[in-house]
Amino acid sequence: EGIYIRDLKTGKVRAVSGQTYMLSPYEELWEKDLPAVVEELLTKTDGRSNDPKAAQKPTGPRNKTRVVTYRAPHNSAVQIYDYKAKEARVVFGPDLVMLGPDEQFTVLSLSGEKPKRAHVIKSLHLFLGPDFMTDIVVVETSDHARLSLNLSYNWFFDLDKTGKTDGGKIFSVPDFVGDACKAIASRVRGTVASVSFDHFHKNSASIIRQAVFGADESGKIRNHFGFSSNGLVITNIDIQSVEPVDQRTRDALQKSVQLAIEITTKSQEASAKHEAERREQEARGRLERQKITDEA
């Protein structure tokens, strides 16, 4: 796409692209060094390092005199920082990013896995969503029952791609995944600690949604939870599973659920049997009355 050229008289380095170029007597090709993590990410097809099985580009060693390029995926953002001008620019995908001589990529270090661990995902670009992330949160009820919640959050970045201020705003939080998961987990833990296990077991979905989204003046649960620092918006929470941490509690809960199902089944059977007997007696009574009427 281009080359880096250094002027031997002034020491100034510039990038030339989109044209043929012949070096002057006082110019030379300049090699641009990149951090090791950026070199590794540029070899990945998706620009991320969380998957060890991710496909790599079939290329040899990078020619350091060539302009560094990166294809920003669709619906993503890439931040480039100019160390000479001391300012950052954001490129929204799909687009081709070309680094200047004094520019470097902003490498994102995001939390990953379940439960979330810091610095699991390294990436050159930031997806803008909508997307989802999953976390495991351990809570304790007011009667000291420890529960493991498997929660999934739908999110997106609320920003104006045409504006210059919103672009840098989404990169203001280094690890938005870990920050959002910690904020939501603290809200859920605080609310669950004030309710009993029986009440939480019956109303877990509404309790968790109200804890995260809050309620308006009329008492209705809101439909989103926003972070003003980087424009991240949580739009939905999916409670995938609620399991007691203690094995004995889990066995007792499973036994009580099975017992409740059996009781409900037997109650329905007894009710149906009673209804059948009642109808049979009514039919028999009508038949007897009809016989008496016929004999009369």
Side-chain angles (χ1 to χ4, degrees), residues 46 48 73-77 125-129 131 155 157 176:
D46 60 350
R48 293 192 167 202
H74 175 70
N75 197 31
S76 68
H125 59 263
L126 178 64
F127 281 115
L128 305 179
D131 205 344
W155 60 267
F157 282 102
F176 81 94

Side-chain angles (χ1 to χ4, degrees), residues 4-22:
Y4 295 114
I5 299 171
R6 179 171 178 266
D7 192 318
L8 297 177
K9 288 183 178 181
T10 62
K12 184 179 179 181
V13 181
R14 58 194 176 94
V16 177
S17 62
Q19 62 183 24
T20 57
Y21 190 82
M22 180 177 289

